[in-house]
């Protein structure tokens, strides 16, 4: 007898993400219709089946995609209209199988929802929030810096020394020692001495890490 898969979901202004996580997934089928989603998968003799689940609103099937590996299936549904969904499905009997995907979740007023990521944030590409800096042209309004014009007669070496504490700006700019020599920055560190990367839970499945299926 087939089982109903447990799903997680999140949304953006133009897409809805649906994830079915399960180990050792083998045969997987996903089908889209204007307002329907179907999933069929097998794992170690178990069969999971979701047939014609009515979605909250309509989608564009031709612009929707799905991805898979042996641990999860992720569907990216293209919204037909950029409206906020109050739920994934209108079928109340299926709601017990559906949870919020907090790894991707954001509120409608969040900049991530519309793709306008805040300066302090990161988009999926890692540095999307820096786009508004416009080549650092906006530095003219940073207090006494006055577009760097307020530096007076200070030469470049003295200027860079005074900016030694701004090592986080740009490509690993380091601090300067008392002799004006640049100390090693991030780009000069031995990779073996860098702190280990944060571990990503196996459940944090991203579409870009998965195989796209036609």
């Amino acid at each position: 007898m087939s089982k109903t898969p447990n799903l997680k979901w999140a949304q953006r202004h133009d897409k809805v993400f649906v994830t079915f996580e399960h180990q050792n997934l083998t045969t997987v089928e996903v089908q889209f219709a204007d307002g329907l989603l179907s999933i069929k998968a097998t794992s170690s003799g178990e069969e999971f089946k979701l047939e014609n689940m009515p979605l909250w609103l309509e989608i564009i099937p031709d612009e929707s995609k799905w991805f898979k590996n042996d641990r999860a299936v992720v569907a990216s549904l293209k919204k037909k209209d950029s409206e906020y969904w109050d739920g994934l499905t209108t079928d109340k009997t299926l709601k017990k199988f559906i949870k919020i995907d907090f790894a991707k979740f954001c509120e409608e007023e969040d900049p991530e929802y519309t793709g306008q990521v805040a300066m302090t944030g990161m988009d999926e590409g890692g540095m999307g929030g820096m786009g508004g800096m416009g080549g650092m042209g906006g530095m003219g309004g940073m207090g006494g810096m006055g577009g760097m014009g307020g530096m007076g007669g200070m030469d470049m070496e003295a200027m860079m020394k005074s900016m030694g504490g701004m090592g986080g700006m740009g490509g690993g700019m380091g601090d300067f020692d008392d002799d004006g020599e640049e100390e090693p920055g991030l780009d000069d560190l031995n990779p073996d001495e860098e702190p280990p990367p944060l571990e990503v839970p196996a459940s944090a499945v991203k579409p870009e890490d998965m195989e796209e299926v036609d």
Side-chain angles (χ1 to χ4, degrees):
M1 180 179 295
S2 61
K3 301 179 180 180
T4 301
N6 292 307
L7 306 177
K8 298 193 303 182
W9 81 289
Q11 64 177 312
R12 298 295 184 268
H13 76 289
D14 59 342
K15 295 179 181 179
V16 172
F17 301 105
V18 181
T19 302
F20 168 47
E21 293 181 346
H22 200 279
Q23 295 290 331
N24 302 318
L25 290 172
T26 52
T27 303
V28 178
E29 298 178 16
V30 179
Q31 295 181 340
F32 307 113
D34 288 346
L36 302 172
L37 172 65
S38 298
I39 298 176
K40 184 177 180 181
T42 57
S43 172
S44 303
E46 289 184 297
E47 183 180 67
F48 299 89
K49 191 174 183 180
L50 181 69
E51 191 169 16
N52 293 328
M53 180 181 72
L55 298 169
W56 193 263
L57 291 172
E58 291 189 354
I59 61 172
I60 304 176
D62 292 342
E63 297 184 27
S64 300
K65 300 178 180 180
W66 63 282
F67 312 81
K68 72 177 180 69
N69 60 20
D70 62 348
R71 296 178 293 118
V73 178
V74 179
S76 175
L77 314 178
K78 175 67 175 179
K79 291 181 177 180
K80 189 172 184 179
D81 298 304
S82 297
E83 296 184 26
Y84 192 82
W85 291 20
D86 292 330
L88 176 61
T89 179
T90 56
D91 188 341
K92 294 182 179 180
T93 65
L94 294 174
K95 291 186 177 181
K96 61 183 178 181
F97 300 103
I98 301 171
K99 297 181 179 180
I100 294 292
D101 190 345
F102 288 103
K104 300 183 180 72
F105 177 80
C106 62
E107 299 286 355
E108 186 176 8
E109 62 270 17
D110 292 342
E112 291 84 359
Y113 179 78
T114 58
Q116 298 175 351
V117 183
M119 286 288 290
T120 56
M122 294 288 182
D123 64 7
E124 292 182 358
M127 294 296 290
M130 304 295 287
M133 297 186 72
M136 302 299 288
M139 290 182 66
M142 292 180 62
M145 294 185 71
M148 306 301 286
M151 300 298 289
M154 186 181 296
D155 60 24
M156 182 60 68
E157 179 178 333
M159 180 185 70
M160 295 302 291
K161 184 175 180 180
S162 69
M163 295 174 63
M166 301 178 66
M169 295 178 56
M173 183 186 295
D175 293 336
F176 286 77
D177 59 22
D178 293 337
D179 297 326
E181 297 294 332
E182 184 179 7
E183 296 179 346
L186 291 179
D187 292 341
D188 300 314
L189 291 176
N190 187 327
D192 295 333
E193 297 176 354
E194 293 184 4
L198 295 176
E199 294 185 2
V200 180
S203 60
V205 181
K206 296 183 179 180
E208 58 264 30
D209 298 330
M210 308 181 76
E211 173 188 356
E212 181 177 344
V213 181
D214 294 332

